Amino acid sequence: MIGQAINRVDGPLKVTGRATYAYEHWEAGQPLYGFIRGATIGRGRITRIDTSRAEDSPGVRTVITYRNAPSQGTPDPAVPSQYWRAQPVLTGVEIRHYGQPVALAVAATFEQARAAANLIDIEYAIEPGNYDFAANRELSYMPHLVNADLQCETAVGDFDTGFGSAAVKIDQRYTTPYQFSQPMEPNACLAVPRGDDLIIYVSAQIVDAARISIASTLRMDPQRIQVIAPFVGGGFGSKLGIHSETILAAIAARLLKKPVKVVLARQQIFHLMGVRPVTNQRVRLGAARDGRLIALAHEVNMYTSPHAEFAEQTAATARALYAAPNRLTNHWLTPLDLPRGEDVRAPGEAPGLLAVESAMDELAYALGMDPIELRIKNEPKVHPETGVPFGERHLVDCMREGARRFGWNRRPVRPGSRREGRWLVGYGMAAAIRMHFQGPAKARVRMGSDGVAVVQSDMTDIGGGTYTILTQVAAEALGLPIDRVRVELGRSDFPVSFGTGGSWGAANSSTAVYRACRALREKLAASACNDLKSPLHGLDPQAAILSGGRVTVAAKSEAMAKIVARNHPEGLEGEGEIEGMENDPNYTAYSLNSYGAHFAEVGVDVDTAEIRLRRMLGVFNAGRILNPKTARSQMIGGMTLGVSYALLEEAIVDTRSGAFVNRDLAEYLVPVHADIPEIDAVFVDGFDDKANILGVKGIGELGVCGSAAAVTNAVFNATGIRVREFPITLDKMLGRLPRPNGSPSSAAK
């Protein structure tokens, strides 16, 4: 059953509208509605706030500000992840960023709440703020650690000497913009009071983080909070932790003793969710004439909030990718008065690979080498910095298979040399790597007298197919057809998992479920073999085979349902778990990653500089694939995001106010159907036994990693224009396109 391309088991619920998301729950009856009022300055303090007009408007039940909000907990830096920390709101007059919540209006309808929020009169004392990343680089500092508790800086050999001795050098800076997750389902919460308890229906990627964070903020016993999140309409990092809509809904529900719903309008997401930091990345590559790397350096400066440090692990990308004896990586942070940084769609690798793989393409052209052959020449035998062996690594196989399938041998060798009518045509490729993370996770599998196995975990399904793959794992482990397995997810009264994010969800949860099923198998077999009434009595339970809903030993068998009904009428269950990577010796002994290779063909209009993706291919190695259909869908989605990073996506800050000026999906551009033609994703078979017992590694974000660089490298191949300030927009191309005779203009570089 594992490895089969079965359809999503939750598909019928979703296509018929019966899958219930956070804002759609009505179990508590008619709720009240809250709407957040945000600050209209970037830094300063509130000097006057008058809520009288809002309170007198139709339907309004209350207006909450710092003056009547309850005392709340403060973030504890001793808690390793910000997603488990308190997230207080409306705690005082200080304004730290544009859009910061300053009030919540609660009314009988959403429209009344929104109208009331706009009637609140607020005056501010504006203070000078730092909003311009480029102008404040002198404020930069080096953090102690970066995301995922990785080292901030590393050094191997003598980079300066190695780089100085190299025959061919690349020394370039690449910049990436602020970006937002922007899931289809807006961040939303329904808070329902039950005496001293709270039921929280929330769109969250990690149920345990939501529960602990809410409890810490409201100074409640976590056991008095129940979090429910059976379906999540996308997250991409924005729902790893809870935000102001959840805390404010909970505060209002407790104050009014009524259910309260709060949802963010799309424009509010741009200031109330975390943002991927802008980066300025310096990549230096020094190589011998044969292409062998002698020196490699990746140095990153990025934005952080001065109040909630976030250091994306962008420079860690290059550490395991290519061999070079002399190496240097580091991260620097520039504090600005903007919303806090958070994980956004393949944090670290997405912006890091865009720079590193662009630089590798530049080096290939400087050497006159094929970009694939340059990468293969620098394929490491062990981790280039730690010296530990890799788990399963088929990166070279991905590149070679991709080249064959894509027709890489037809690539124009000279940039700007292939033209089809008004279109300049080019090919590009890039390598992909994504660290395989592992977090602690537990699961429970219970079989009733009807022979149906019920899988329970607080794990969430954010659209990747968790319900389906866990059904497959349990069905195979217990020898059941898939219609005899029911998966229940997203409730805090289920065993605690590490949730969904960072591409760790499937591997963690499936391993825990598999181990729970193994425990249940052993109990079933032992129960039958020790039962005088069973045909299996006296046989060896270790020899039992579970298949077709029956337990078989030698030539004798009995239905699982009969065993449970006779001996365990209350049901029989097994539990399983997986430890976090910090407690798994394989994460010290091996370098565990997923890999891939991206290929892209683009056309560039010679007159308008319009860039059109023509086709795209990704070839990936991520251990054992649980479901090829859902996996392929995820990879194609990730590759689409790579196109977005390369050509479209950019949040722009007004450096006078700290506001994001393009704060809607009309001006914050993401791909639409017309932007994405033929995309294919295939997998190189694998099984990484160093990752877990199932041989599974993360794939969710692998499709994003490197795909943007493949597109940008194709643009260079088509035009001879190298853009290093992303995304590649028309203004960066016009005036630099090749002249009518086919040669690049003098501005192309």
Side-chain angles (χ1 to χ4, degrees):
M1 185 60 64
I2 295 176
Q4 292 188 23
I6 69 170
N7 292 332
R8 293 175 185 257
V9 298
D10 55 330
L13 291 177
K14 291 184 174 179
V15 299
T16 58
R18 291 179 291 140
T20 308
Y21 295 85
Y23 202 66
E24 299 172 335
H25 286 275
W26 295 96
E27 293 91 330
Q30 182 63 44
L32 299 173
Y33 294 84
F35 194 87
I36 298 171
R37 173 71 179 270
T40 55
I41 65 169
R43 183 175 176 181
R45 56 189 175 84
I46 299 170
T47 57
R48 186 181 74 88
I49 186 164
D50 182 354
T51 60
S52 58
R53 285 201 304 153
E55 291 165 341
D56 291 339
S57 65
V60 172
R61 302 300 172 85
T62 190
V63 177
I64 302 173
T65 70
Y66 74 91
R67 296 183 303 191
N68 59 344
S71 176
Q72 299 162 61
T74 56
D76 182 358
V79 176
S81 171
Q82 68 174 339
Y83 300 124
W84 274 261
R85 298 173 188 165
Q87 304 293 343
V89 292
L90 306 182
T91 58
V93 298
E94 182 183 5
I95 302 300
R96 293 177 170 179
H97 66 83
Y98 190 99
Q100 174 184 316
V102 292
L104 179 76
V106 183
T109 70
F110 173 82
E111 292 78 10
Q112 289 172 334
R114 181 170 58 182
N118 289 328
L119 292 175
I120 301 169
D121 294 320
I122 307 173
E123 294 179 3
Y124 303 95
I126 300 175
E127 299 173 3
N130 293 325
Y131 313 121
D132 190 332
F133 177 71
N136 286 280
R137 295 277 297 279
E138 74 280 358
L139 301 176
S140 298
Y141 67 95
M142 185 176 287
H144 178 59
L145 292 171
V146 296
N147 204 16
D149 289 336
L150 299 177
Q151 290 180 313
C152 174
E153 59 178 335
T154 60
V156 175
D158 184 339
F159 173 79
D160 290 334
T161 300
F163 188 71
S165 68
V168 181
K169 301 180 180 69
I170 298 295
D171 183 353
Q172 297 291 352
R173 289 191 179 272
Y174 306 86
T175 63
T176 62
Y178 298 102
Q179 294 172 335
F180 287 90
S181 296
Q182 294 300 329
M184 183 179 294
E185 178 201 21
N187 300 70
C189 177
L190 165 63
V192 181
R194 288 283 187 267
D196 292 333
D197 296 347
L198 268 179
I199 303 173
I200 303 290
Y201 300 89
V202 64
S203 190
Q205 293 178 234
I206 309 176
V207 165
D208 185 58
R211 186 187 200 186
I212 298 301
S213 181
I214 294 166
S216 299
T217 306
L218 301 183
R219 294 175 171 160
M220 292 179 64
D221 180 349
Q223 298 303 314
R224 305 204 75 94
I225 297 174
Q226 182 180 18
V227 173
I228 301 175
F231 293 98
V232 179
F236 307 107
S238 71
K239 299 172 184 176
L240 286 170
I242 56 94
H243 295 85
S244 56
E245 82 287 343
T246 301
I247 298 301
L248 288 171
I251 288 174
R254 298 185 81 196
L255 175 67
L256 297 169
K257 302 188 185 309
K258 296 280 188 181
V260 176
K261 284 185 176 182
V262 179
V263 65
L264 297 185
R266 182 62 62 179
Q267 288 187 330
Q268 290 179 310
I269 291 176
F270 286 85
H271 288 115
L272 295 179
M273 294 298 103
V275 58
R276 185 201 292 282
V278 64
T279 73
N280 184 301
Q281 305 179 49
R282 184 186 186 188
V283 181
R284 287 178 285 174
L285 303 175
R289 289 289 180 190
D290 65 356
R292 180 176 52 85
L293 282 172
I294 298 170
L296 181 155
H298 189 187
E299 300 171 278
V300 181
N301 192 311
M302 71 190 81
Y303 150 74
T304 188
S305 165
H307 310 289
E309 183 180 276
F310 178 77
E312 192 169 358
Q313 68 277 29
T314 308
T317 300
R319 292 174 184 172
L321 192 51
Y322 298 118
N326 303 291
R327 315 174 66 86
L328 173 68
T329 70
N330 58 48
H331 302 77
W332 293 82
L333 300 179
T334 299
L336 300 174
D337 299 305
L338 297 172
R340 74 188 190 197
E342 286 184 347
D343 295 303
V344 174
R345 295 180 268 167
E349 284 89 346
L353 284 170
L354 183 48
V356 169
E357 287 300 283
S358 294
M360 283 294 285
D361 197 66
E362 296 205 42
L363 179 61
Y365 279 97
L367 290 164
M369 288 185 68
D370 182 284
I372 294 177
E373 294 308 313
L374 173 64
R375 288 166 171 82
I376 292 175
K377 181 175 283 290
N378 290 286
E379 172 71 3
K381 293 182 172 57
V382 296
H383 191 290
E385 296 193 3
T386 66
V388 301
F390 293 106
E392 182 183 62
R393 177 174 170 127
H394 293 302
L395 176 55
V396 171
D397 294 334
C398 291
M399 289 190 282
R400 287 180 169 152
E401 177 65 11
R404 183 188 68 81
R405 288 173 175 261
F406 193 75
W408 182 252
N409 60 331
R410 299 192 298 272
R411 174 185 70 102
V413 176
R414 183 168 60 85
S417 62
R418 178 175 296 177
R419 184 165 175 171
E420 297 177 6
R422 63 188 297 167
W423 294 95
L424 297 164
V425 179
Y427 289 11
M429 65 81 54
I433 185 172
R434 172 70 181 171
M435 182 178 175
H436 174 65
F437 294 98
Q438 180 174 299
K442 295 181 180 180
R444 177 170 58 235
V445 180
R446 182 179 183 86
M447 181 172 286
S449 58
D450 58 359
V452 173
V454 179
V455 178
Q456 293 180 330
S457 169
D458 77 355
M459 173 69 177
T460 53
D461 190 327
I462 63 174
T466 308
Y467 282 101
T468 305
I469 61 170
L470 294 188
T471 299
Q472 292 177 257
V473 169
E476 176 164 310
L478 294 173
L480 293 171
I482 61 172
D483 62 358
R484 305 299 289 171
V485 176
R486 184 172 75 250
V487 175
E488 299 177 349
L489 301 175
R491 296 177 63 98
S492 58
D493 50 357
F494 291 162
V496 175
S497 75
F498 208 61
T500 306
S503 303
W504 61 64
N508 289 346
S509 58
S510 61
T511 300
V513 167
Y514 178 79
R515 288 176 171 164
C517 290
R518 296 294 296 184
L520 181 56
R521 284 172 62 103
E522 293 176 4
K523 290 182 179 181
L524 277 169
S527 180
C529 293
N530 292 323
D531 181 5
L532 289 171
K533 297 180 180 180
S534 172
L536 304 179
H537 177 255
L539 298 178
D540 181 8
Q542 298 297 317
I545 297 173
L546 276 66
S547 178
R550 303 181 69 83
V551 179
T552 301
V553 183
K556 298 182 178 181
S557 73
E558 186 175 17
M560 297 178 200
K562 285 188 176 182
I563 298 170
V564 175
R566 186 173 59 247
N567 298 334
H568 310 279
E570 75 288 353
L572 187 64
E573 66 182 38
E575 294 186 346
E577 65 179 301
I578 184 172
E579 292 187 308
M581 54 195 288
E582 66 277 5
N583 296 316
D584 188 332
N586 275 0
Y587 278 84
T588 302
Y590 298 94
S591 175
L592 300 175
N593 307 279
S594 298
Y595 304 95
H598 294 279
F599 297 82
E601 177 185 334
V602 303
V604 181
D605 189 298
V606 73
D607 295 318
T608 67
E610 176 187 5
I611 301 170
R612 283 291 174 187
L613 180 71
R614 292 186 161 198
R615 61 191 178 102
M616 201 170 185
L617 169 69
V619 180
F620 305 101
N621 167 234
R624 188 183 189 185
I625 302 302
L626 295 168
N627 184 318
K629 180 177 288 188
T630 57
R632 180 176 181 272
S633 177
Q634 286 196 65
M635 305 319 290
I636 289 175
M639 293 161 69
T640 301
L641 293 176
V643 178
S644 186
Y645 288 6
L647 304 178
L648 298 170
E649 211 165 331
E650 178 180 21
I652 299 171
V653 175
D654 182 340
T655 56
R656 299 166 300 176
S657 66
F660 288 102
V661 295
N662 55 335
R663 52 182 181 267
D664 57 44
L665 294 181
E667 294 185 324
Y668 181 83
L669 302 181
V670 295
V672 297
H673 290 296
D675 296 313
I676 306 299
E678 177 186 355
I679 290 184
D680 196 11
V682 298
F683 293 93
V684 173
D685 290 339
F687 188 103
D688 195 335
D689 61 352
K690 307 301 186 298
N692 47 62
I693 194 171
L694 293 176
V696 176
K697 292 190 288 192
I699 66 167
E701 291 159 300
L702 184 60
V704 189
C705 301
S707 50
V711 175
T712 62
N713 291 339
V715 171
F716 172 76
N717 183 251
T719 64
I721 300 171
R722 183 72 70 178
V723 177
R724 304 182 183 93
E725 181 184 352
F726 302 112
I728 302 178
T729 49
L730 299 184
D731 57 300
K732 298 163 190 171
M733 299 286 290
L734 285 170
R736 304 173 64 191
L737 289 164
R739 294 171 178 157
N741 64 7
S743 62
S745 71
S746 59
K749 60 179 180 179

